[in-house]
Structure formats: C-alpha cells, structure tokens
Amino acid sequence: MSGKKKILCEDLTQSDDLGRVVIPKEIRRTLRLREGTPLEIFTDREGEIILKKYSPMAELGNFAKQYADALAQSTGLAVCVTDRDQVIAVAGGAKKELLQKSISKALEQSILNRNNIMAGKEEGQFIPVTDEDAEEYSGQVTAVILCEGDAIGSVLLLSKDPKYKMGTLEQKLASTAAGFLGRQMES
C-alpha cells in the first residue's frame, strides 16, 4: 500500500435521499477539494474505491505535451502546462519529475486570480511550479488558460540562464499557447 493512506470512516456508507456520501475532511484537505469540485470515482478488482479530481485539461494531455515540445524546441526554454492541480505536460530543460506533480499553492492561487506573470528571481514575483520545486530558474512567464470564462490551468515558460531576460515575445508566446489550449477545450 505504498503512497496510500488508510482512514477509517464509519459513517462513509451513509447517504442522503439523493445517494450523496460525505468525504471526510482529511481527504478533502489532502486532495484540495472545495465545494463543487468534480470527482472521478473508480473501483478496482479488490473492491477499493479510488477518488480522483476530475481535470478537463487531462483530456488534452497528449496534445498539450506536443504543443509544449514544439514551444520548447523553438524557444530553447523549459515549458510546463498545468491544470489547476498538477503539471500535465513538461518539455525542454525542465525536470521530468515535474510531470503529474501537484502545483504549488502560489501557482494555484495565481491561476484562480487569473494573474499572468513575467518575472525574474530578483524581482520577487517568481512563483515555484511545485511546492517541492528545487529547480533554479531565473526567469518565468506564466499565462492562465481560460475555457468558457473559467481559469482551468496555465502555460509556463522557464529559463535557467540568468542572462536571459523574459520579454514581450515570451509573454505573447505563453498567452498564445494558453489561448489555443483554452479554445481546444471549448471544442
């Protein structure tokens, strides 16, 4: 049971007239579930129930990866595509360990607030991609992905070269990628 946490929930089998069940506070906190967060529910052969946050961006995983690869190849920068919870695509010099890792609370808040960011380490606005992110990037551009008016993720361009300064071109590239991915979600 590596990576699994056992929580005894005596009242979990109780439900209301609509068949709704209560998810314990500890699980909601661990999964960062807020009221109204859509979930996918799976069962395995042993009868275990698996809860997973639904991510509309996950449907674009392969497409987002190809887009990130093309963007990284043409710019020479590291590229990450995220949903509101995790990194769904990584390309360029970025660590492959970022893939499917939870995004940092600061990045999540930036997405929810619809903040597009252009920053360097020295400017103090730099936002880590994940909470465990020890990678030393010197420049960052973040563009929020919008789908039907909802903030659903982000595109990040990252540079390790302290001499490389992010500018208007990188901002436009990230915004274009975010806009394109958002429109793909709508269709």
Side-chain angles (χ1 to χ4, degrees):
M1 271 184 77
S2 68
K4 294 183 182 178
K5 190 173 190 178
K6 185 176 182 178
I7 300 174
L8 181 60
C9 305
E10 295 174 7
D11 294 331
L12 193 59
T13 57
Q14 294 181 0
S15 64
D16 63 10
D17 293 340
L18 297 175
R20 296 177 292 196
V21 295
V22 174
I23 299 173
K25 185 184 258 181
E26 186 175 341
I27 293 173
R28 291 194 318 265
R29 188 180 6 242
T30 301
L31 294 177
R32 293 184 189 173
L33 298 175
R34 292 179 284 283
E35 187 174 325
T37 301
L39 295 174
E40 293 179 294
I41 302 173
F42 304 94
T43 58
D44 65 12
R45 292 180 186 161
E46 290 81 40
E48 292 181 338
I49 296 173
I50 302 161
L51 299 177
K52 182 179 176 187
K53 281 192 347 185
Y54 171 72
S55 169
M57 287 289 294
E59 296 172 15
L60 283 182
N62 192 35
F63 184 74
K65 170 70 172 128
Q66 291 174 356
Y67 199 104
D69 284 339
L71 196 53
Q73 187 175 16
S74 65
T75 63
L77 299 171
V79 179
C80 293
V81 179
T82 75
D83 62 14
R84 290 186 353 194
D85 300 306
Q86 66 180 349
V87 178
I88 64 166
V90 180
K95 286 183 169 181
K96 296 295 182 188
E97 296 86 44
L98 289 176
L99 189 61
Q100 297 181 338
K101 296 287 184 188
S102 294
I103 64 171
S104 69
K105 293 197 185 301
L107 181 54
E108 179 184 11
Q109 197 58 51
S110 177
I111 293 168
L112 292 174
N113 292 338
R114 301 169 187 230
N115 293 335
N116 291 331
I117 297 167
M118 182 170 64
K121 280 275 192 191
E122 68 280 350
E123 295 160 9
Q125 293 180 329
F126 195 85
I127 295 177
V129 179
T130 68
D131 286 326
E132 307 99 35
D133 191 5
E135 192 68 44
E136 289 299 318
Y137 296 109
S138 58
Q140 173 186 57
V141 169
T142 304
V144 176
I145 300 170
L146 299 173
C147 176
E148 297 177 353
D150 294 328
I152 62 168
S154 66
V155 174
L156 294 96
L157 301 180
L158 304 161
S159 172
K160 290 184 183 181
D161 183 356
K163 294 177 186 171
Y164 189 93
K165 298 294 180 201
M166 298 288 189
T168 306
L169 175 63
E170 290 80 8
Q171 251 180 337
K172 287 182 180 181
L173 286 170
S175 293
T176 300
F180 185 75
L181 291 170
R183 281 188 287 288
Q184 289 299 307
M185 287 299 303
E186 291 173 355
S187 55

